[in-house]
């Protein structure tokens, strides 16, 4: 069976960029958290999650995203979401994620906001 | 004394700091580690191991162990559910503790020897009890905080579900393309119920006409467990739409859907159903609007078939009227001038109204006008018109008609009545003749024998009334017909000598007076002409 969710990651200096593809559910959330933890253990504190290729997120996926935010907040790091579909943006807003994480239109503008 | 007070103050501060330290823990592992740090700082212990058992049916979990601890040490906690501090001699450990907590869980703790190799004093044991009490309180605090987080998350999720239900209702109402609408609804309900996959199947009879999956990638994946499935269906437009959701996700794995999930799925399906209905009704309304426009145009064209003005015939007065009930009426009258100075008078009524009736009227009009271009006998003309209408009409459609070939110079009137109401001739001497001779209505059957004609002459002061059954059968609120209560012949006799225009106007007023507010049920058409007295 083909996986429902795919993830790519890249390091832009000290910023970790995670690009998601597909349904951010239990499987998707877990994949994001694992990839994040791999880099977090090496000292990465600035993270961008680009949800451009994901149009559906469920609350289990969100619980993993919250875990990423909590871990970063403990070390005074920061997470920024980018390229959010209006429905996902509303979902994350209602779930309160933007009280602790940022929201930018593009990966570039998110990267810039880290440096400014 | 001062010394004791200072020591007590120091001790109190130490207890306060230790609780703050413990309660900052974000996990049980961190709590256990913090607890060891406190013991080491206050009691100078060299080693500790902390285990936790959530419930009786769960296994012990090692939360912290400084120098490692094999599973054989767990026997110190076996069969023990109540609080206890025991002295042991196991490896590097000197004390074993069972600490039950508020939610049926319990800690199992081993404490190593002191750094200075002295035994634990009574004072140390009292302090230890304080720290254990703090561990218990910190555990409660952490669990409460965790529950509070879960509650906030759950409340936010409920808000999200309601909000999405409203938003999706609005969005699906906007979408016109059926597949897009169904995909959107499937995605939203899937996300809000935490289903791992979803499917929408559309069936027409036994045939599956559409199947949508989300996520797309699991099209070929089998559904592992039917008991972890919920579904809902509705029927619309001869199709059955069924939404299926499979395998609700949780952080602990796949769980069963609950009542709220079924409610949400039903609500989303209802929204899709309503939206499909609304789109259908909207489409119908647009199509009806278009048809109404076309009917209106057809009605305007048909009105032109009826002469706006009747010919001015020397020695005669003519007046006619047609009041259709629909845009396109089924009544028709005409007064066609012929090359030899005569006129062909036509009064016709198609069975039914609307577009089909209008088309037959057009056919009759065009055929009559075409045939009178050449010399003809009236009976033959009606025979030919019968054939044309028979070929043009469906089985249930026919035309009753009265034809009169009228010579104004001599006043002769040749007539054929094709199944129509009798035409009345009001003589100057106040007698009324009826022109009934003819045959069956046009288009009813292809006859093998000719129509029969009649002939009469109009003298000065005689008048003729042609009409359709919309006049005689005009109905009042009591469902009585005009001709039954106010015979048309009487109106004719009572209005002898009245000019043609006033006669028609008076007739319509009398019909309106009779019917009152009852809506007109049939076209009303009449033609009246008088041979003036010389």
């Amino acid at each position: 069976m083909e996986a429902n969710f795919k993830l790519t990651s890249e390091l832009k200096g000290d910023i970790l960029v995670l690009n998601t593809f597909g349904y951010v559910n239990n499987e998707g959330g877990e994949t994001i958290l694992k990839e994040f933890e791999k880099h977090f253990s090496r000292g990465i504190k600035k993270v961008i999650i680009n949800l451009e290729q994901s149009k559906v997120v469920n609350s289990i996926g969100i619980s993993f995203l919250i875990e990423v935010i909590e871990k970063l907040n403990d070390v005074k790091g920061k997470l920024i979401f980018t390229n959010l579909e209006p429905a996902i943006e509303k979902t994350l807003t209602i779930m309160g994620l933007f009280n602790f994480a940022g929201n930018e239109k593009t990966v570039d503008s998110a990267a810039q906001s880290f440096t400014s | 004394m001062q010394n004791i007070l200072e020591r007590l103050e120091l001790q109190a501060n130490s207890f306060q700091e230790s609780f703050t330290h413990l309660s900052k823990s974000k996990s049980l592992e961190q709590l256990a580690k913090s607890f060891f740090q406190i013991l080491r700082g206050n009691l100078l212990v060299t080693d500790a191991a902390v285990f936790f058992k959530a419930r009786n049916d769960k296994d012990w979990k090692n939360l912290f162990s400084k120098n490692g601890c094999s599973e054989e040490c767990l026997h110190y906690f076996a069969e023990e559910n109540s609080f206890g501090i025991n002295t042991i001699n196991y490896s590097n450990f000197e004390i074993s503790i069972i600490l039950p907590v508020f939610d049926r869980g319990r800690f199992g703790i081993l404490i190593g020897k002191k750094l200075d190799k002295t035994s634990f004093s009574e004072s140390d044991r009292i302090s230890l009890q304080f720290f254990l009490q703090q561990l218990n309180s910190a555990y409660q605090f952490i669990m409460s905080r965790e529950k509070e987080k879960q509650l906030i998350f759950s409340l936010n999720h409920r808000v999200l579900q309601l909000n999405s239900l409203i938003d999706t209702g609005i969005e699906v109402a906007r979408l016109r393309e059926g597949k897009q609408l169904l995909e959107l609804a499937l995605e939203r309900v899937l996300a809000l119920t935490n289903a791992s996959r979803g499917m929408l199947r559309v069936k027409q009879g036994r045939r599956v006409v559409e199947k949508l999956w989300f996520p797309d990638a699991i099209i070929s994946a089998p559904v592992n467990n039917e008991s972890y499935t919920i579904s809902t269906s509705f029927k619309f437009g001869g199709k059955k739409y069924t939404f299926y959701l499979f395998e609700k996700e949780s952080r602990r794995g796949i769980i069963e859907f609950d009542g709220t999930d079924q409610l949400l799925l039903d609500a989303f399906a209802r929204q899709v159903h309503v939206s499909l209905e609304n789109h259908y009704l909207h489409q119908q309304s647009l199509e009806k609007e278009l048809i109404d426009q076309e009917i209106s145009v057809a009605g305007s064209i048909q009105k032109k078939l009826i002469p706006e003005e009747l010919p001015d015939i020397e020695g005669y007065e003519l007046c006619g009227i047609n009041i259709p009930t629909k845009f396109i009426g089924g009544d028709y009258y005409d007064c066609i001038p012929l090359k030899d100075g005569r006129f062909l008078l036509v009064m016709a009524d198609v069975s039914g109204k609307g577009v089909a009736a209008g088309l037959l009227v057009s056919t009759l009009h065009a055929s009559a006008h075409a045939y009178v271009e050449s010399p003809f006998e009236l009976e033959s003309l009606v025979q030919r018109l019968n054939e044309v209408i028979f070929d043009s009409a469906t089985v249930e459609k026919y035309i009753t008609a009265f034809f009169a070939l009228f010579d104004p110079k001599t006043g002769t009137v040749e007539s054929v009545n094709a199944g129509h109401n009798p035409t009345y001739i009001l003589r100057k001497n106040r007698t009324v003749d009826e022109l009934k001779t003819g045959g069956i209505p046009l288009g009813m059957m292809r006859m093998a024998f000719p129509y029969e004609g009649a002939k009469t002459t109009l003298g000065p002061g005689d008048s003729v009334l042609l009409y359709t059954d919309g006049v005689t059968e005009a109905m009042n609120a009591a469902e009585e017909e005009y001709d039954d209560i106010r015979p048309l012949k009487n109106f004719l006799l009572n209005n002898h000598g009245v000019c043609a225009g006033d006669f028609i106007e008076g007739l319509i007023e009398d019909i309106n007076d009779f019917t009152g507010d009852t809506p007109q049920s049939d076209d009303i058409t009449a033609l009246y002409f008088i041979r003036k007295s010389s």
Side-chain angles (χ1 to χ4, degrees), chain A residues 34-97:
Chain A
K34 273 184 188 166
E35 184 64 19
F36 159 75
E37 281 175 335
K38 198 170 82 184
H39 295 273
F40 183 66
S41 63
R42 292 174 195 154
I44 291 293
K45 293 180 184 177
K46 297 172 186 171
V47 180
I48 294 170
I49 298 183
N50 174 18
L51 291 166
E52 190 174 8
Q53 299 299 323
S54 290
K55 54 177 182 174
V56 183
V57 177
N58 74 8
S59 71
I60 308 303
I62 290 171
S63 73
F64 283 100
L65 298 178
I66 289 174
E67 215 167 314
V68 172
I69 292 170
E70 284 179 340
K71 283 178 192 285
L72 284 170
N73 282 356
D74 284 348
V75 295
K76 292 192 168 61
K78 191 173 180 185
L79 171 67
I80 298 178
F81 293 100
T82 69
N83 295 289
L84 300 178
E85 281 226 349
I88 293 185
E89 187 171 18
K90 198 163 189 180
T91 298
L92 300 189
T93 304
I94 291 172
M95 296 303 285
L97 269 68

Side-chain angles (χ1 to χ4, degrees), chain B residues 330-341:
Chain B
D331 283 5
Y332 164 63
Y333 76 88
D334 212 340
C335 180
I336 308 168
L338 307 178
K339 287 173 184 170
D340 60 6

Side-chain angles (χ1 to χ4, degrees), chain B residues 436-498:
Chain B
K436 294 180 181 174
T437 308
I440 61 166
L442 306 179
M444 195 168 259
M445 64 173 72
R446 195 182 271 273
M447 286 197 306
F449 46 89
Y451 281 92
E452 191 183 347
K455 193 169 183 178
T456 188
T457 305
L458 297 179
D462 289 349
S463 58
V464 182
L465 175 62
L466 293 77
Y467 59 93
T468 59
D469 59 7
V471 171
T472 50
E473 294 172 7
M475 217 170 263
N476 65 9
E479 296 192 349
E480 296 163 326
E481 293 185 358
Y482 175 76
D483 195 46
D484 291 342
I485 307 299
R486 303 183 188 184
L488 186 57
K489 271 186 188 175
N490 288 355
F491 184 86
L492 196 62
L493 287 166
N494 293 340
N495 288 277
H496 184 263
V498 173

Side-chain angles (χ1 to χ4, degrees), chain B residues 177-179 182 200-211 232-243 269 272-273 276-277 280:
Chain B
E177 207 268 298
K179 192 176 176 186
L182 298 173
L200 170 64
R201 190 182 63 199
V202 185
K203 281 176 91 173
Q204 198 158 24
R206 290 185 174 181
R207 194 167 59 92
V208 176
V209 291
E210 187 141 33
K211 222 175 198 182
T232 194
S233 300
F234 65 85
K235 285 182 180 171
F236 174 72
K239 294 177 184 171
K240 186 178 180 186
Y241 296 76
T242 309
F243 284 89
V272 171
H273 190 179
L276 288 173
E277 269 182 350
Y280 174 76

Side-chain angles (χ1 to χ4, degrees), chain A residues 23 25 59 67 70 74 90, chain B residues 26 149 194-195 249 251:
Chain A
Y23 187 17
N25 57 353
S59 71
E67 215 167 314
E70 284 179 340
D74 284 348
K90 198 163 189 180
Chain B
K26 302 218 166 177
K149 262 171 65 180
N194 288 331
E249 296 183 342
R251 291 288 290 257

